[in-house]
Amino acid sequence: MLEECSRVYAEVDLDAIKYNLENIRASIADGVKVTAVIKADGYGHGAVPIARIMEDIDYVWGYATATAEEAFELRDAGIKKPILVLGYTFPYAYARMLREGIRPAVFRVDMLDELCERVRKYRAQGFEGKMPIHIAVDTGMSRIGVRADDFGAGFIKEAMSRDELEVEGIFTHFARADEADLTNALEREKAFSDFLDRLCKENGHKIPIQHCANSASIISIPSAEMDMVRAGIILYGLWPSEEVPRDKIQLRPALSLHSHIVYIKDVPEGTPVSYGGTFVTDRMTRIATIPVGYSDGYPRSLSNKGYVLIHGQKARILGRVCMDQFMVDITEIPEAKEGDEVILIGRDGDEVITMEELGDMSHRFNYELVCDINKRVPRIYFENGKPCK
Ligand SMILES: *Cc1c(COP(=O)(O)O)cnc(C)c1O
């Protein structure tokens, strides 16, 4: 490990991501494609290295990002497969998306005209194709997407009638697929498939790529596979929620977070620790300072609550987590010394701190935590069990 990464680094195990992807593949029907959701920089793991390991896998259709910029970053890195931008994309990005095979999610009437205009301009320069788009349908999020009603059907008919556009896909997103009770999700799935049947009848053909399954649906709702599934959180080995069954798919967390002790001191009973003195020692205490804080994405709400692993043992957090440092109790870990490794997320011997546990301890959400591990934290990638570039 490079000394530059001693303060803190996230280790990303690309083998775990491949393992999760293969298990996703094994859990869906033959012929169903996978889109790797690598928005928010691959849920904090790094979108480009993750896309790179999937470029040659034929059951991976492509990638989904949240924004056009995230898609451009992948193209800048030489990533070639199709990319779908899941959120609304503003018109400034359409020309580049068209040139680079990046599909927008389409649901606003003005998007049709704006997109067609870009295609016509590009055609004037010799381009002969159409712009592939995916229609977003709202079946219960009330977020983006046309509703599965007459207006929605009319909108899609209009999109399909445009010579400049190719309605390659249509998708929806479930609000409640991660619950133990799937009544709502199944009802929404039926509403979506009924709508797809209607569109097929009215337009005389099926839209080629119909998709609705996120991670929770991949695990719990096999009927929602359709033509393609969108795998997000499970790709990284994390669980969509506590209610999703754990026995249907095997996952391996890909990310662990490491640091090193930078200072150790013994303090007497009655010594306050960190801002506000919210913790006061009740005995002679050996304190270790860890050079990581909430500006790295380590939650401040772990103050006086969380713990880290040192020599395979738990060391609890004393006082408030600061912006760039926090303190832990190592009184019971006498072998600990300055420079020793600290595991903030991951396994150390028999002990493990999962992202889900960290979510519980900090009263936050595993999706949120992993996205919060920010740029100040270098990522070190492992492939075939070895560090790689
Ligand atoms: C983020 C997102 C996903 C992936 O969700 P996971 O729960 O991480 O699998 C799928 N589809 C859409 C539209 C999304 O926004």
Side-chain angles (χ1 to χ4, degrees), residues 10-11 27-28 93 98 133 167 208 222-223 233 261 279 299 358 371:
E11 189 175 302
S27 79
I28 58 180
L98 172 59
I133 62 169
V167 180
S223 58
I233 198 94
I261 298 175
F279 180 84
L358 207 67
C371 291

Side-chain angles (χ1 to χ4, degrees), residues 276-319:
T278 59
F279 180 84
V280 179
T281 57
D282 55 5
R283 57 173 178 175
M284 265 296 276
T285 302
R286 175 162 282 195
I287 292 177
T289 301
I290 318 297
V292 179
Y294 59 80
S295 71
D296 297 295
Y298 194 70
R300 184 173 182 269
S301 54
L302 289 173
S303 299
N304 284 313
K305 268 198 222 121
Y307 63 90
V308 299
L309 301 177
I310 296 170
H311 289 277
Q313 296 165 72
K314 291 179 183 177
R316 70 188 175 112
I317 296 173
L318 302 180

Side-chain angles (χ1 to χ4, degrees), residues 37 39 43 64 86 143-144 171-173 212-216 218 230-234 236 240 367:
V37 181
K39 60 190 179 190
Y43 292 48
L86 294 166
R143 193 168 67 177
I144 56 165
F171 72 102
T172 193
H173 187 55
C212 64
N214 58 359
S215 292
I218 293 170
R230 302 188 302 268
I233 198 94
I234 55 176
Y236 309 99
Y367 283 69

Side-chain angles (χ1 to χ4, degrees), residues 23-315:
N23 287 345
I24 292 165
R25 169 72 193 91
S27 79
I28 58 180
D30 277 351
V32 175
K33 299 276 185 188
V34 177
T35 276
V37 181
I38 53 177
K39 60 190 179 190
D41 202 21
Y43 292 48
H45 293 65
V48 170
I50 291 169
R52 276 202 185 121
I53 61 173
M54 299 185 186
E55 278 287 88
D56 296 327
I57 301 179
D58 50 342
Y59 62 82
V60 176
W61 172 79
Y63 314 103
T65 64
T67 68
E69 279 64 33
E70 289 176 347
F72 297 153
E73 190 191 331
L74 293 169
R75 287 289 182 256
D76 287 342
I79 299 300
K80 299 274 188 312
K81 279 187 190 279
I83 304 171
L84 168 62
V85 178
L86 294 166
Y88 172 70
T89 309
F90 291 83
Y92 72 87
Y94 298 167
R96 183 165 175 196
M97 289 172 86
L98 172 59
R99 289 195 305 273
E100 301 189 351
I102 300 166
R103 283 77 163 154
V106 174
F107 46 92
R108 258 168 61 167
V109 177
D110 59 344
M111 292 182 88
L112 297 180
D113 292 334
E114 292 275 5
L115 287 164
C116 287
E117 196 193 305
R118 297 312 186 289
V119 176
R120 285 194 297 273
K121 272 199 192 138
Y122 198 31
R123 281 181 177 171
Q125 302 167 29
F127 174 71
E128 290 176 353
K130 294 173 186 258
M131 173 128 190
I133 62 169
H134 288 228
I135 304 284
V137 178
D138 171 25
T139 56
M141 284 286 282
S142 302
R143 193 168 67 177
I144 56 165
V146 293
R147 289 169 61 85
D149 57 11
D150 292 343
F151 177 83
F155 176 80
I156 292 159
K157 197 180 196 80
E158 174 63 29
M160 289 169 112
S161 75
R162 302 285 178 108
D163 166 62
E164 294 89 345
L165 305 178
E166 176 202 344
V167 180
E168 173 188 56
I170 183 166
F171 72 102
T172 193
H173 187 55
F174 298 134
R176 302 180 60 183
D178 60 349
E179 298 177 12
D181 180 351
L182 292 170
T183 313
N184 176 274
L186 290 168
E187 193 186 286
R188 300 295 88 208
E189 186 217 340
K190 179 158 192 320
F192 185 54
S193 44
D194 288 350
F195 187 57
L196 295 175
D197 289 344
R198 168 185 177 175
L199 295 174
C200 186
K201 277 204 197 80
E202 288 181 7
N203 299 300
H205 67 93
K206 171 183 168 290
I207 297 173
I209 309 178
Q210 305 183 152
H211 52 112
C212 64
N214 58 359
S215 292
S217 317
I218 293 170
I219 296 174
S220 304
I221 316 176
S223 58
E225 286 168 9
M226 300 191 174
D227 301 305
M228 182 163 93
V229 298
R230 302 188 302 268
I233 198 94
I234 55 176
L235 206 50
Y236 309 99
L238 305 177
W239 295 95
S241 79
E242 275 181 5
E243 295 184 26
V244 166
R246 303 276 160 119
D247 56 348
K248 301 212 170 145
I249 192 166
Q250 301 271 7
L251 300 174
R252 226 158 72 197
L255 183 142
S256 52
L257 190 62
H258 306 245
S259 180
H260 293 87
I261 298 175
V262 292
Y263 197 48
I264 291 179
K265 78 185 81 179
D266 293 305
V267 299
E269 181 184 336
T271 307
V273 182
S274 193
Y275 288 117
T278 59
F279 180 84
V280 179
T281 57
D282 55 5
R283 57 173 178 175
M284 265 296 276
T285 302
R286 175 162 282 195
I287 292 177
T289 301
I290 318 297
V292 179
Y294 59 80
S295 71
D296 297 295
Y298 194 70
R300 184 173 182 269
S301 54
L302 289 173
S303 299
N304 284 313
K305 268 198 222 121
Y307 63 90
V308 299
L309 301 177
I310 296 170
H311 289 277
Q313 296 165 72
K314 291 179 183 177

